[in-house]
Amino acid sequence: MQSQAKGFTYVKVPYNYIAYYEDGKWNEGQLRTDDTVTISAMSTALHYGQQAFEGLKAYRRKDGRINLFRVKDNALRFQLSCDFLKMPRIPVEMFVKAVEDTVLANHEYVPPYGSNATLYIRPFIIGIGDNLGLRPANSYIFSVIVSPVSSYFSGPARPVDMVTSPYDRAAPHGTGHVKVGGNYAASLKAQVEAKAVGYADTIFLDPKTHTKIEEVGAANFFGITKKQEYVTPTSPSILDSITNRSLKQLAKEALKLTVLETDIHLADLNQLDEAAACGTAAVVTPIGSITHEGVKMQFPHHEEMGPITLKLYQLLTGIQMGDLEDVYEWTTTLDPLK
Ligand code: PLP
Ligand code: COI
């Protein structure tokens, strides 16, 4: 079996899942082969951004079986996003079954163990139907679509250079903490401008004061201080990353580090020995430097992944791939031959 992954681009696979919400309830949902949706041109998802999504991965184990990572946590976060945008919740069991069924139906497209590629899983919900006025839709589609992927940032996990964004992706009491398309639309200008001048991505600052690190457009931020503490921002406008949650626990329990969830002021970046972006797509991507208003702040570990970031990366991916014992019961193992 060959990995079909081409970086982080969409590669079609045979099956996806779709369910419809009508008259106050979800239908049973089914797997299908068509990866298009036909909806009213007046759908709330198209005009008012009434939609939400999730992202998780399926990992091929050495024994050929397939691991999902913390799928129930994605289901719960999806419910938060649905609540915030006034969309109907997907029951946790329905979400998990839809993900499992879609992965198993496409099991031949889960890239081989050791290929550095995985099957990315994208559950999403959209408001549909004829709606001109601004109000929540009456009908919705919940779908799960998957694609083999390899690294999100090009190349192997070498430190990347980032620049702070002059724009905000989310307001202080807005939608930053939920995974809704509007946040990502709002992040594109900063990302495109950063890439145009050679940065791998942009880092958003706290929308109120623009003095503190918040997160990357598609990943959380963490650093390792000179005192060997794991430090990561707290803010109501960033996504509660499941990868970051896992790294915090591993840092504390496996590496015995102090974990600080606190403000990270730009002025204090010189206290960090290591910095990284973390998320499902980004996994753990080391950050070599951050440029703010033309001034470049380079971290001591800017040529290769720092030693603590590397240990965390190995622990996390070891559990995800099934190479290390999963003492936290984060993984669900699927057997494609059963
Ligand atoms: N922050 C943002 C804005 C994201 O899009 C993502 C990706 O999902 C993350 C953080 C990381 O979250 P997770 O680790 O749950 O994938
Ligand atoms: C993920 O890591 O799952 C994401 O959602 C990233 C995506 C915005 C590219």
Side-chain angles (χ1 to χ4, degrees):
M1 187 199 315
Q2 288 293 308
S3 168
Q4 322 250 340
K6 298 187 192 101
F8 203 84
T9 56
Y10 177 47
V11 175
K12 280 188 192 212
V13 300
Y15 297 101
N16 66 86
Y17 168 94
I18 194 160
Y20 287 87
Y21 182 90
E22 261 152 22
D23 302 324
K25 57 180 187 306
W26 286 106
N27 77 357
E28 216 178 302
Q30 59 179 26
L31 290 170
R32 58 174 200 149
T33 52
D34 181 7
D35 69 345
T36 64
V37 282
T38 302
I39 57 173
S40 165
M42 274 298 181
S43 292
T44 57
L46 298 179
H47 298 264
Y48 306 128
Q50 200 196 16
Q51 64 86 250
F53 68 99
E54 268 304 325
L56 68 158
K57 283 175 172 171
Y59 305 83
R60 178 75 66 183
R61 298 162 51 99
K62 208 178 210 164
D63 64 12
R65 292 184 296 160
I66 295 165
N67 275 353
L68 298 177
F69 187 68
R70 302 190 73 162
V71 54
K72 279 193 185 143
D73 294 273
N74 289 95
L76 292 169
R77 192 172 65 187
F78 198 52
Q79 291 190 339
L80 283 185
S81 302
C82 290
D83 289 353
F84 208 79
L85 263 59
K86 304 312 269 177
M87 301 186 285
R89 286 181 167 197
I90 316 299
V92 171
E93 312 74 54
M94 178 174 167
F95 181 100
V96 172
K97 187 168 184 319
V99 167
E100 289 182 357
D101 287 355
T102 313
V103 170
L104 283 170
N106 295 296
H107 71 87
E108 287 174 7
Y109 295 83
V110 180
Y113 172 82
S115 64
N116 212 17
T118 52
L119 189 76
Y120 184 76
I121 306 162
R122 172 55 61 82
F124 66 96
I125 179 171
I126 53 176
I128 59 168
D130 300 333
N131 293 281
L132 182 55
L134 177 60
R135 65 182 76 88
N138 291 322
S139 309
Y140 294 84
I141 284 175
F142 166 53
S143 175
V144 180
I145 189 155
V146 301
S147 169
V149 296
S150 51
S151 42
Y152 184 69
F153 290 103
S154 52
R158 294 193 64 79
V160 295
D161 295 312
M162 297 210 179
V163 62
T164 57
S165 166
Y167 322 111
D168 301 323
R169 65 187 282 284
H173 302 285
T175 53
H177 64 296
V178 287
K179 203 162 166 63
V180 301
N183 297 339
Y184 297 83
S187 76
L188 292 175
K189 180 172 162 64
Q191 186 220 61
V192 169
E193 289 180 6
K195 286 190 175 172
V197 288
Y199 294 102
D201 211 334
T202 190
I203 294 192
F204 290 93
L205 303 177
D206 70 293
K208 214 166 181 176
T209 70
H210 273 224
T211 58
K212 298 177 267 183
I213 300 277
E214 289 245 299
E215 66 175 334
V216 182
N220 271 184
F221 176 90
F222 74 85
I224 305 296
T225 68
K226 296 199 178 302
K227 293 192 220 150
Q228 303 219 322
E229 297 146 328
Y230 181 102
V231 58
T232 190
T234 44
S235 159
S237 48
I238 64 179
L239 192 72
D240 179 6
S241 153
I242 294 164
T243 312
N244 198 6
R245 273 188 230 165
S246 313
L247 293 172
K248 282 183 264 187
Q249 199 164 347
L250 290 167
K252 200 163 159 181
E253 294 176 21
L255 301 186
K256 310 288 178 215
L257 303 183
T258 300
V259 171
L260 302 172
E261 293 180 68
T262 182
D263 290 341
I264 303 182
H265 289 270
L266 286 164
D268 296 335
L269 283 180
N270 58 4
Q271 299 305 310
L272 300 184
D273 256 358
E274 305 175 31
C278 66
T280 298
V283 193
V284 175
T285 300
I287 299 173
S289 72
I290 297 177
T291 298
H292 177 62
E293 293 177 347
V295 181
K296 182 172 177 179
M297 161 58 217
Q298 195 164 58
F299 298 105
H301 289 281
H302 60 270
E303 292 202 326
E304 58 201 8
M305 207 186 257
I308 295 181
T309 307
L310 180 63
K311 273 188 202 152
L312 287 167
Y313 170 80
Q314 287 168 338
L315 286 169
L316 178 76
T317 54
I319 294 172
Q320 289 171 333
M321 306 282 170
D323 290 339
L324 296 179
E325 192 193 346
D326 176 17
V327 290
Y328 305 109
E329 299 186 356
W330 284 336
T331 53
T332 308
T333 301
L334 307 178
D335 192 340
L337 302 178
K338 271 194 183 154

